[in-house]
Amino acid sequence: MVDRERRELVRNGIVTLSLGSVAVAGCSDAVDEATGGPDLEVTDISSETTTFGNVRLGIRVVNNGNEAGTNTLVGQVDIQGGDTYTQRQSITVNADSGNDFTMEFDIDISESLSGSRYTADAFLEE
């Protein structure tokens, strides 16, 4: 289970948050399951607001399979009442290990100055 975070953008770095939970299902190809291939899964998402009002995501991806796995990691920041920011990054995780990835989102100054709340999420493209 991955925690989805809801935070408030504050330019001085102080963050108000309320946590909810969202289940992230790790999906593998039937072929990979039959052959014991890679099994990538997002296991942790954290977010913080930078001094300049941008949002930085920290994302942990583990590979429980017995082969290295490559996929596209998608990070999103949804500003309440505003824009949704999306980034994609090609990733590779070795077999039976995990990697940490960082994505930084350049939030429009009008949204960061307004103290808007946001929801952060990350997932693997299928």
Side-chain angles (χ1 to χ4, degrees), residues 61 114 123:
V61 178
S114 69
F123 54 92

Side-chain angles (χ1 to χ4, degrees), residues 16-38:
T16 303
L17 66 108
S18 55
L19 295 176
S21 293
V22 62
V24 175
C27 298
S28 298
D29 277 334
V31 172
D32 285 342
E33 288 177 12
T35 62

Side-chain angles (χ1 to χ4, degrees), residues 1-65:
M1 184 169 301
V2 176
D3 287 332
R4 175 178 286 187
E5 296 187 346
R6 175 175 229 97
R7 295 192 176 203
E8 186 172 327
L9 293 175
V10 180
R11 293 194 65 76
N12 64 6
I14 298 172
V15 180
T16 303
L17 66 108
S18 55
L19 295 176
S21 293
V22 62
V24 175
C27 298
S28 298
D29 277 334
V31 172
D32 285 342
E33 288 177 12
T35 62
D39 181 19
L40 298 179
E41 178 182 7
V42 174
T43 60
D44 188 47
I45 304 166
S46 62
S47 66
E48 66 180 348
T49 307
T50 68
T51 312
F52 299 107
N54 295 326
V55 175
R56 183 178 301 125
L57 296 185
I59 305 160
R60 177 92 175 147
V61 178
V62 297
N63 181 357
N64 295 313

